[in-house]
Amino acid sequence: MYKIVRKENLGSSVVQFDVEAPKIAAKAKSGQFIIVRLDEQSERIPLTIADYDREAGTITMIFQAVGFSTNALKTLEAGDSILDVVGPLGTASEIENYGTVVCIGGGVGIAPVYPIARDLKEAGNKVISIIGARNEDLLFWKDKMAAISDELLIATDDGSAGIKGFVTDVLKSVMDRENVDRVWAIGPMVMMKAVANTTRPSGVKTIVSLNPIMVDGTGMCGGCRVQIGTETKFACVDGPEFDGHLVDFDLAMRRSSVYKTEELQAVEHDHQCRIGGIGKCH
Amino acid sequence: MPLKAPRTSMPAQDPAERSHNFKEVALGYTAEMAKTEASRCLDCKNPLCVKGCPVEVDIPGFIRAIVSDDMSGAVDVLKQKNNLPAVCGRVCPQESQCESKCVLGIKGESVAIGRLERYTADWDMAQTFKAPEKPEPKSERVAIVGSGPAGLTAAADLAKMGYQVTIFEALHTPGGVLMYGIPEFRLPKAIVQQEIDYIRALGVQIEVNAVVGKTVLVDELLDTEGFDAVFIGTGAGLPNFMNIPGENLNGVYSSNEFLTRTNLMKAYDFPNYHTPIKIGKKVAVIGAGNVAMDAARTALRLGAEESYIVYRRSAAEMPARHEEIEHAEEEGVQFRLLHSPIAYEGDEKGQLTKMTLQRFELGEPDASGRRRPMPIEGDTVEMPIDTVVVAIGQGPNPLVPHSTEGLELTKKGNIVADEETGVTSRDGVFAGGDIVTGAATVILAMGAGKKSARAIDAYLNAKRDQ
Ligand SMILES: Cc1cc2nc3c(=O)[nH]c(=O)nc-3n(C[C@H](O)[C@H](O)[C@H](O)COP(=O)(O)OP(=O)(O)OC[C@H]3O[C@@H](n4cnc5c(N)ncnc54)[C@H](O)[C@@H]3O)c2cc1C
Ligand SMILES: Cc1cc2nc3c(=O)[nH]c(=O)nc-3n(C[C@H](O)[C@H](O)[C@H](O)COP(=O)(O)OP(=O)(O)OC[C@H]3O[C@@H](n4cnc5c(N)ncnc54)[C@H](O)[C@@H]3O)c2cc1C
Ligand code: SF4
Ligand code: SF4
Ligand code: FES
Ligand SMILES: [Mg+2]
């Protein structure tokens, strides 16, 4: 059992947990992830390691309640425990001094981009961070991001914070104004695709973090396979970070939606149980 | 009893019924059946059957005990050599091992050794649990990586010798393929669980959610975590794909994913369990080994209307156990032999809709002694299909081999280890099971675990005496 030592609501649907997991905290590197299982019936839910405290032996996870399992996770409180937490999984980000780096976090993708931006800053890079979301409610960690960035820029679709527009609009203006050596982009698949398309003409290497549907996270099932150039890779062990210019985003998006019907069914079943309805409930 | 007494058949669930549930197919002998079958054994002076068993179970010994109504004696004899008899009695390929050597098999039918083993183990499980006696403890600590049959056996044997043993398992449940691969209807998980409970009662610690190579390294186990030896039994956990067009469409699964979702994550009980699985009306499983039979039979139970085995050789070459092929046929699995897919196609949503099959004929025998399948030029056929399960074998998972210093590997990436001892190129590191041999069998993995346990004991004794 892994105890939640702190819970913070970062908006109406985004939650932060700090969880006791000393072995994972000791090993975690930016870019890596964990898999959690809430209880005996639970799915295995992959989440990025948003931060870690090696001394306290805790790791930080930030998730958006989007479906059945993340909503169930959201009901836990500080003091409660998660049945299983396994990690750190995946390969670490390649941190070097590249020069000027733009780090882009979209929505809940702000969480995974934070430790990467921090490490890039420590490695001597000039870090320009761009965070964006549909609206202000979905933005978080502005201060944390500002503290480790040379510059922090914000974009929202509705203009409720920062400029009104997409992170790619902001990225374009940054690239117009100065030389950029590398870009990191983590967020919804459509955003990462748009960022990759934005940097493609100039050839600025762009790293994205893919989040295909996973089961084990150890390279055993092959469910997380993604197409990178001419090769099929397993995102859980070969990634999750890949060269954005080589990723087949359309395939990745189609693969991510394979269980849409079942995902709705899970929510519906749970709803029926709650209203004292039909069927076998747990 | 006359020599020609027929082999006692084992009752099974009716095929029409069982193909829709996940309950165990074979129901096991009654006491009477077991005794009848046991009495067929000639109690040979030089029992050839024992030579066919990779862990050398004293077969006439336990069968003799059944005949004389000494069931706890039968259990003792069995457990001297086999830590997981309830598992082996169910899944050993007996027809090519112990039973293939039985003298009765020369002229008639061999003794049903596997069924008797299962009966004995099940009798034992039904008794009130007696905690095993703990031996004089030794000070050395041994780490076991992976909790499949190889790791569990090595752990149990070392614990019986008094060592302090900790198993590190990547998944949230111990048991390896016994838990995540072989389906409930063939090997009930409650049985594997009981075997694991027994191993825990011997004092073995099991740490789940520990991915060696990520959470902790083999080098750290030896250098900083205080272990004196390490046994690696991580299995063959890397699914092979065919690298043909359309293989990444939705609806194409590896057998590992298909079976893990169903067995480990219990997707058959979705939405009570929350992991989904998608199953269409028409399912094709590529391959004809045990894994393929399990997947094809699972597909029917998950609601597929048609389930096919697609295999590029003929029936004679199918590597699965006889009983599994028979059970699959009885349940309605259909066989498309001498066919193999060369491409998949899907709709605009990326969902698989059809596959193109290449037809084959058999040529001269190849290195494996089986006749080589040869594609018939230009002879292809299209088949509409909703779900494909690729069950064409496993490679070694590279997590441990590639994160451990100084471990010699084969070209394919398996760990090089001595067959008799599991000794690797790295001092204090032993290995056995599928990670060494490539995908093989439960009993061979157990045999390797046993041999390594002995070798680790010898290694630690020598170190202590230095
Ligand atoms: C490496 C990695 C890191 C991730 N990091 C984060 C993170 O830091 N914060 C965060 O909020 N989310 C993260 N995700 C996504 C998160 O795992 C999914 O949102 C979650 O599993 C959805 O579960 P659900 O039951 O609530 O929703 P569902 O309704 O079941 O699914 C909603 C969508 O989430 C995706 N999804 C469903 N099941 C899985 C699964 N087993 N694995 C991956 N994706 C799935 C699918 O695209 C699906 O359409 C990450 C995913 C991966 C692979
Ligand atoms: C579907 C299926 C059906 C089969 N049917 C039969 C049958 O009927 N009869 C038969 O004899 N054989 C059968 N087999 C083969 C048999 O199951 C295997 O040969 C046997 O399980 C191998 O045992 P093992 O201990 O080497 O590895 P496994 O059983 O594969 O166990 C390895 C364990 O190590 C863990 N692990 C892997 N990497 C790490 C890591 N980095 N850190 C920590 N832990 C790790 C895995 O999670 C797993 O639990 C079948 C196999 C499958 C897949
Ligand atoms: S362990 Fe397997 S091979 Fe050995 S006697 Fe039992 S069934 Fe036969
Ligand atoms: S060879 Fe057959 S008859 Fe002889 S002891 Fe073994 S099981 Fe019995
Ligand atoms: S999640 Fe199973 S191989 Fe990546
Ligand atoms: Mg879900």
Side-chain angles (χ1 to χ4, degrees):
Chain A
M1 297 293 266
Y2 301 78
K3 193 167 156 200
I4 300 167
V5 292
R6 177 160 161 258
K7 175 184 184 179
E8 196 175 329
N9 293 314
L10 302 176
S12 47
S13 68
V14 180
V15 177
Q16 172 177 344
F17 282 161
D18 293 354
V19 174
E20 256 171 28
K23 288 197 173 178
I24 302 173
K27 280 283 162 64
K29 294 214 176 83
S30 51
Q32 291 188 298
F33 67 99
I34 48 167
I35 291 184
V36 306
R37 209 170 66 113
L38 188 58
D39 57 29
E40 215 36 63
Q41 279 81 29
S42 172
E43 296 183 84
R44 291 171 63 94
I45 312 164
L47 296 172
T48 310
I49 301 172
D51 206 351
Y52 46 82
D53 183 334
R54 300 207 205 280
E55 257 162 46
T58 58
I59 53 171
T60 297
M61 49 187 98
I62 292 183
F63 60 91
Q64 184 170 11
V66 292
F68 179 82
S69 297
T70 42
N71 272 294
L73 202 57
K74 192 180 160 205
T75 63
L76 297 186
E77 298 296 337
D80 292 344
S81 287
I82 301 174
L83 182 58
D84 296 298
V85 181
V86 60
L89 301 169
T91 54
S93 307
E94 279 176 33
I95 305 294
E96 276 174 41
N97 189 350
Y98 299 104
T100 300
V101 183
V102 177
C103 292
I104 306 174
V108 77
I110 298 167
V113 102
Y114 167 76
I116 299 169
R118 182 189 58 197
D119 289 359
L120 286 166
K121 177 73 191 155
E122 267 169 30
N125 292 280
K126 174 178 178 188
V127 174
I128 301 169
S129 297
I130 306 173
I131 60 174
R134 279 203 311 282
N135 55 51
E136 187 172 21
D137 178 52
L138 295 167
L139 284 179
F140 55 90
W141 278 15
K142 274 178 277 192
D143 297 346
K144 259 181 106 149
M145 285 300 288
I148 48 103
S149 308
D150 290 279
E151 191 180 353
L152 175 68
L153 301 163
I154 297 173
T156 49
D157 295 6
D158 65 356
S160 51
I163 68 134
K164 183 171 184 316
F166 298 125
V167 290
T168 41
D169 300 328
V170 182
L171 173 63
K172 269 189 215 126
S173 63
V174 171
M175 290 177 73
D176 285 344
R177 119 188 145 201
E178 65 187 289
N179 179 59
V180 172
D181 297 294
R182 201 169 263 243
V183 172
W184 245 273
I186 309 183
M189 211 82 85
V190 279
M191 181 206 94
M192 294 190 286
K193 181 183 174 184
V195 170
N197 285 340
T198 305
T199 56
R200 201 184 307 272
S202 60
V204 175
K205 186 138 180 182
T206 300
I207 307 296
V208 297
S209 180
L210 298 183
N211 49 3
I213 295 176
M214 293 186 177
V215 185
D216 58 300
T218 65
M220 181 270 276
C221 78
C224 64
R225 59 199 191 276
V226 290
Q227 184 80 29
I228 310 296
T230 55
E231 285 182 288
T232 293
K233 298 275 187 187
F234 292 179
C236 69
V237 283
D238 301 323
E241 292 188 355
F242 294 100
D243 181 342
H245 295 154
L246 297 179
V247 172
D248 184 341
F249 284 104
D250 295 334
L251 175 74
M253 283 189 259
R254 287 196 298 269
R255 284 187 66 78
S256 283
S257 64
V258 58
Y259 296 113
K260 275 278 175 281
T261 327
E262 290 77 12
E263 284 154 9
L264 290 173
Q265 205 186 329
V267 172
E268 179 59 20
H269 170 82
D270 182 56
H271 182 67
Q272 298 282 358
C273 289
R274 271 169 219 269
I275 59 172
I278 41 135
K280 193 171 80 181
C281 299
H282 43 81
Chain B
M1 170 128 335
L3 252 184
K4 284 190 291 298
R7 190 173 152 110
T8 315
S9 58
M10 177 163 59
Q13 257 198 85
D14 180 63
E17 198 169 309
R18 76 186 188 225
S19 62
H20 298 291
N21 69 48
F22 275 86
K23 288 192 220 129
E24 192 169 15
V25 167
L27 299 172
Y29 280 157
T30 61
E32 203 179 332
M33 290 172 188
K35 228 171 140 179
T36 308
E37 183 58 24
S39 332
R40 293 180 63 230
C41 172
L42 304 177
D43 195 1
C44 305
K45 282 233 168 50
N46 176 21
L48 296 176
C49 53
V50 177
K51 297 206 168 67
C53 171
V55 296
E56 296 166 7
V57 166
D58 176 2
I59 295 165
F62 90 83
I63 293 182
R64 204 183 311 127
I66 298 176
V67 176
S68 48
D69 285 321
D70 174 17
M71 282 312 294
S72 70
V75 172
D76 290 342
V77 173
L78 197 51
K79 284 205 165 169
Q80 271 168 25
K81 292 288 164 91
N82 190 337
N83 292 314
L84 308 169
V87 174
C88 293
R90 286 173 168 80
V91 305
C92 255
Q94 292 106 6
E95 72 265 18
S96 60
Q97 296 185 336
C98 52
E99 293 178 11
S100 75
K101 297 273 175 15
C102 169
V103 287
L104 285 189
I106 299 171
K107 286 221 176 111
E109 293 178 296
S110 61
V111 174
I113 301 168
R115 293 170 184 178
L116 289 171
E117 178 165 322
R118 168 186 167 150
Y119 172 76
T120 306
D122 288 358
W123 178 90
D124 182 36
M125 285 192 169
Q127 310 309 303
T128 42
F129 184 75
K130 303 187 294 284
E133 273 175 49
K134 293 239 175 78
E136 197 62 28
K138 295 195 171 80
S139 63
E140 289 92 346
R141 300 173 66 213
V142 183
I144 308 285
V145 184
S147 62
L152 288 175
T153 304
D157 281 13
L158 287 161
K160 283 181 189 164
M161 296 172 199
Y163 292 104
Q164 300 177 50
V165 182
T166 305
I167 299 181
F168 296 88
E169 167 56 49
L171 292 171
H172 55 260
T173 304
V177 168
L178 306 181
M179 273 297 185
Y180 76 71
I182 305 180
E184 177 78 19
F185 58 81
R186 203 147 72 74
L187 179 63
K189 301 308 150 221
I191 284 173
V192 184
Q193 194 52 54
Q194 276 204 44
E195 304 270 29
I196 289 168
D197 290 345
Y198 172 79
I199 284 164
R200 278 209 173 96
L202 287 168
V204 173
Q205 302 287 320
I206 304 182
E207 206 174 296
V208 293
N209 299 323
V211 184
V212 175
K214 291 287 177 190
T215 316
V216 66
L217 305 177
V218 168
D219 293 86
E220 290 170 335
L221 292 173
L222 288 166
D223 300 341
T224 56
E225 301 283 320
F227 288 95
D228 301 284
V230 175
F231 173 78
I232 301 172
T234 47
L238 179 72
N240 289 340
F241 285 96
M242 294 170 74
N243 297 316
I244 57 176
E247 216 171 16
N248 292 337
L249 285 163
N250 291 340
V252 182
Y253 285 100
S254 75
S255 52
N256 278 356
E257 182 181 4
F258 189 74
L259 292 169
T260 301
R261 283 184 179 271
T262 317
N263 299 324
L264 182 70
M265 306 311 294
K266 301 202 169 24
Y268 62 81
D269 197 9
F270 181 86
N272 289 315
Y273 282 79
H274 307 146
T275 303
I277 195 159
K278 218 161 185 106
I279 190 89
K281 290 192 172 125
K282 229 172 143 172
V283 179
V285 178
I286 317 302
N290 284 321
V291 182
M293 297 305 146
D294 282 345
R297 297 171 70 194
T298 295
L300 287 177
R301 285 161 173 80
L302 290 171
E305 286 167 14
E306 295 167 48
S307 175
Y308 293 86
I309 287 284
V310 176
Y311 182 48
R312 61 195 183 121
R313 303 184 198 238
S314 77
E317 287 81 23
M318 293 199 288
R321 292 179 65 208
H322 265 313
E323 192 180 62
E324 307 314 328
I325 297 170
E326 247 168 55
H327 279 158
E329 272 173 340
E330 286 168 13
E331 287 166 15
V333 171
Q334 301 175 59
F335 291 77
R336 273 287 173 100
L337 304 172
L338 294 166
H339 281 78
S340 184
I342 50 171
Y344 302 109
E345 282 170 61
D347 60 18
E348 70 289 344
K349 285 185 178 155
Q351 167 61 42
L352 172 73
T353 52
K354 77 176 176 199
M355 60 178 176
T356 308
L357 299 176
Q358 167 74 53
R359 289 195 50 208
F360 283 80
E361 60 191 354
L362 291 182
E364 296 299 306
D366 62 13
S368 71
R370 297 179 301 174
R371 293 179 63 193
R372 189 194 302 275
M374 314 279 282
I376 307 174
E377 195 66 41
D379 195 352
T380 62
V381 21
E382 293 200 333
M383 182 174 176
I385 203 80
D386 302 313
T387 306
V388 158
V389 181
V390 183
I392 55 163
Q394 312 276 326
N397 187 303
L399 274 184
V400 173
H402 288 182
S403 63
T404 308
E405 294 289 331
L407 211 48
E408 194 191 333
L409 307 178
T410 67
K411 262 205 204 95
K412 285 186 181 162
N414 292 94
I415 298 176
V416 175
D418 183 85
E419 211 178 300
E420 288 309 309
T421 58
V423 167
T424 69
S425 57
R426 174 78 192 271
D427 185 49
V429 179
F430 300 74
D434 283 3
I435 186 66
V436 171
T437 55
T441 60
V442 171
I443 193 70
L444 284 172
M446 288 178 54
K450 250 187 159 21
K451 288 174 185 167
S452 276
R454 269 200 298 261
I456 289 170
D457 182 41
Y459 168 80
L460 293 175
N461 285 338
K463 246 177 129 176
R464 205 180 303 129
D465 294 344
Q466 265 171 19

